Short mmCIF file of all heavy atoms in Angstrom, two decimals:
data_model
loop_
_atom_site.label_atom_id
_atom_site.label_comp_id
_atom_site.label_asym_id
_atom_site.label_seq_id
_atom_site.Cartn_x
_atom_site.Cartn_y
_atom_site.Cartn_z
N SER A 1 53.34 96.55 7.04
CA SER A 1 52.84 96.08 5.70
C SER A 1 53.31 94.71 5.45
O SER A 1 54.35 94.28 5.99
CB SER A 1 53.28 97.05 4.60
OG SER A 1 54.67 96.99 4.38
N PRO A 2 52.65 94.00 4.54
CA PRO A 2 53.10 92.65 4.10
C PRO A 2 54.52 92.69 3.57
O PRO A 2 55.29 91.77 3.89
CB PRO A 2 52.11 92.22 3.06
CG PRO A 2 50.82 93.00 3.42
CD PRO A 2 51.29 94.27 3.95
N LEU A 3 54.88 93.71 2.80
CA LEU A 3 56.22 93.83 2.30
C LEU A 3 57.28 93.90 3.40
O LEU A 3 58.32 93.22 3.36
CB LEU A 3 56.36 95.02 1.39
CG LEU A 3 57.81 95.35 0.77
CD1 LEU A 3 58.25 94.10 -0.08
CD2 LEU A 3 57.78 96.61 0.03
N GLU A 4 56.99 94.63 4.41
CA GLU A 4 57.88 94.79 5.57
C GLU A 4 58.03 93.47 6.34
O GLU A 4 59.18 93.13 6.82
CB GLU A 4 57.49 95.90 6.45
CG GLU A 4 57.56 97.29 5.79
CD GLU A 4 56.70 98.30 6.41
OE1 GLU A 4 55.85 97.98 7.30
OE2 GLU A 4 56.70 99.52 5.98
N ILE A 5 56.97 92.77 6.45
CA ILE A 5 56.98 91.40 7.12
C ILE A 5 57.86 90.45 6.36
O ILE A 5 58.75 89.77 6.96
CB ILE A 5 55.56 90.85 7.30
CG1 ILE A 5 54.73 91.69 8.27
CG2 ILE A 5 55.60 89.41 7.76
CD1 ILE A 5 53.26 91.28 8.35
N VAL A 6 57.76 90.45 5.04
CA VAL A 6 58.50 89.52 4.25
C VAL A 6 59.97 89.92 4.30
O VAL A 6 60.86 89.09 4.44
CB VAL A 6 58.01 89.54 2.78
CG1 VAL A 6 58.95 88.77 1.85
CG2 VAL A 6 56.59 89.04 2.68
N ILE A 7 60.27 91.22 4.16
CA ILE A 7 61.66 91.69 4.26
C ILE A 7 62.34 91.29 5.57
O ILE A 7 63.49 90.79 5.58
CB ILE A 7 61.76 93.21 4.04
CG1 ILE A 7 61.35 93.59 2.63
CG2 ILE A 7 63.17 93.73 4.33
CD1 ILE A 7 61.32 95.05 2.33
N GLY A 8 61.60 91.43 6.67
CA GLY A 8 62.15 91.09 7.97
C GLY A 8 62.44 89.60 8.12
O GLY A 8 63.58 89.21 8.45
N TYR A 9 61.44 88.75 7.77
CA TYR A 9 61.63 87.35 7.99
C TYR A 9 62.57 86.78 6.98
O TYR A 9 63.47 85.93 7.30
CB TYR A 9 60.27 86.62 7.95
CG TYR A 9 59.46 86.68 9.18
CD1 TYR A 9 58.30 87.48 9.22
CD2 TYR A 9 59.86 85.99 10.34
CE1 TYR A 9 57.58 87.61 10.46
CE2 TYR A 9 59.08 86.08 11.47
CZ TYR A 9 57.95 86.87 11.55
OH TYR A 9 57.22 86.97 12.71
N VAL A 10 62.37 87.06 5.68
CA VAL A 10 63.21 86.49 4.61
C VAL A 10 64.58 87.06 4.75
O VAL A 10 65.57 86.30 4.52
CB VAL A 10 62.58 86.81 3.25
CG1 VAL A 10 63.50 86.43 2.18
CG2 VAL A 10 61.25 86.08 3.08
N GLY A 11 64.74 88.33 5.05
CA GLY A 11 66.09 88.89 5.23
C GLY A 11 66.92 88.18 6.25
O GLY A 11 68.12 87.92 6.09
N ALA A 12 66.25 87.85 7.43
CA ALA A 12 66.97 87.21 8.51
C ALA A 12 67.36 85.78 8.09
O ALA A 12 68.45 85.29 8.35
CB ALA A 12 66.08 87.15 9.76
N ALA A 13 66.43 85.04 7.45
CA ALA A 13 66.67 83.68 7.04
C ALA A 13 67.79 83.68 5.95
O ALA A 13 68.70 82.80 6.06
CB ALA A 13 65.45 83.06 6.40
N ALA A 14 67.81 84.64 5.04
CA ALA A 14 68.84 84.63 4.04
C ALA A 14 70.18 85.02 4.62
O ALA A 14 71.22 84.47 4.28
CB ALA A 14 68.50 85.64 2.92
N SER A 15 70.19 85.89 5.63
CA SER A 15 71.42 86.31 6.30
C SER A 15 72.08 85.12 7.06
O SER A 15 73.29 84.90 6.91
CB SER A 15 71.17 87.41 7.27
OG SER A 15 70.71 88.61 6.62
N LYS A 16 71.26 84.36 7.75
CA LYS A 16 71.77 83.15 8.46
C LYS A 16 72.29 82.12 7.46
O LYS A 16 73.39 81.48 7.68
CB LYS A 16 70.65 82.60 9.29
CG LYS A 16 70.33 83.45 10.51
CD LYS A 16 69.38 82.75 11.46
CE LYS A 16 67.93 82.89 10.95
NZ LYS A 16 66.93 82.38 11.91
N SER A 17 71.66 81.95 6.33
CA SER A 17 72.09 81.01 5.34
C SER A 17 73.36 81.43 4.69
O SER A 17 74.28 80.65 4.42
CB SER A 17 71.02 80.80 4.24
OG SER A 17 69.80 80.36 4.84
N LEU A 18 73.50 82.76 4.43
CA LEU A 18 74.74 83.27 3.86
C LEU A 18 75.91 83.07 4.79
O LEU A 18 77.06 82.71 4.38
CB LEU A 18 74.55 84.70 3.47
CG LEU A 18 73.73 85.02 2.20
CD1 LEU A 18 73.49 86.51 2.11
CD2 LEU A 18 74.44 84.49 0.99
N MET A 19 75.70 83.36 6.04
CA MET A 19 76.77 83.14 7.04
C MET A 19 77.21 81.68 7.05
O MET A 19 78.40 81.40 7.09
CB MET A 19 76.29 83.57 8.44
CG MET A 19 76.18 85.07 8.64
SD MET A 19 75.96 85.54 10.38
CE MET A 19 74.40 84.73 10.78
N LEU A 20 76.21 80.80 7.05
CA LEU A 20 76.56 79.32 7.02
C LEU A 20 77.30 78.99 5.78
O LEU A 20 78.29 78.19 5.81
CB LEU A 20 75.27 78.57 7.11
CG LEU A 20 75.44 77.02 7.12
CD1 LEU A 20 76.21 76.60 8.33
CD2 LEU A 20 74.04 76.35 7.12
N GLY A 21 76.89 79.51 4.58
CA GLY A 21 77.56 79.19 3.35
C GLY A 21 79.05 79.66 3.36
O GLY A 21 79.90 78.95 2.91
N LEU A 22 79.31 80.82 3.92
CA LEU A 22 80.63 81.30 4.05
C LEU A 22 81.48 80.50 4.95
O LEU A 22 82.64 80.20 4.74
CB LEU A 22 80.66 82.75 4.45
CG LEU A 22 80.06 83.78 3.44
CD1 LEU A 22 79.97 85.15 4.02
CD2 LEU A 22 80.84 83.79 2.14
N ILE A 23 80.87 80.02 6.08
CA ILE A 23 81.57 79.17 7.03
C ILE A 23 81.97 77.84 6.31
O ILE A 23 83.04 77.29 6.50
CB ILE A 23 80.76 78.90 8.30
CG1 ILE A 23 80.54 80.22 9.07
CG2 ILE A 23 81.34 77.84 9.15
CD1 ILE A 23 79.64 80.12 10.22
N ILE A 24 81.00 77.30 5.57
CA ILE A 24 81.28 76.04 4.88
C ILE A 24 82.40 76.17 3.82
O ILE A 24 83.21 75.33 3.63
CB ILE A 24 79.99 75.53 4.23
CG1 ILE A 24 79.04 75.01 5.38
CG2 ILE A 24 80.26 74.35 3.30
CD1 ILE A 24 77.68 74.60 4.81
N LEU A 25 82.42 77.36 3.16
CA LEU A 25 83.47 77.59 2.16
C LEU A 25 84.83 77.62 2.87
O LEU A 25 85.79 77.09 2.42
CB LEU A 25 83.24 78.92 1.47
CG LEU A 25 82.35 78.93 0.22
CD1 LEU A 25 82.14 80.36 -0.31
CD2 LEU A 25 82.94 77.97 -0.86
N ALA A 26 84.84 78.31 4.04
CA ALA A 26 86.08 78.36 4.82
C ALA A 26 86.53 76.99 5.30
O ALA A 26 87.68 76.61 5.26
CB ALA A 26 85.90 79.31 5.99
N THR A 27 85.52 76.20 5.70
CA THR A 27 85.81 74.82 6.15
C THR A 27 86.32 73.95 5.04
O THR A 27 87.26 73.15 5.24
CB THR A 27 84.53 74.15 6.71
OG1 THR A 27 84.03 74.96 7.81
CG2 THR A 27 84.82 72.80 7.32
N ALA A 28 85.80 74.15 3.85
CA ALA A 28 86.26 73.37 2.67
C ALA A 28 87.66 73.56 2.39
O ALA A 28 88.39 72.65 1.91
CB ALA A 28 85.40 73.71 1.42
#
C-alpha cells in the first residue's frame, strides 16, 4: 500500500538522519 511504501522509505531516511545527528552531538 502507499502507506507501507512511505513508512519504508521515510523510516529509513529518518533513521539514517537520526544516527548522523547523534554522531554529530557526540563529536560536538
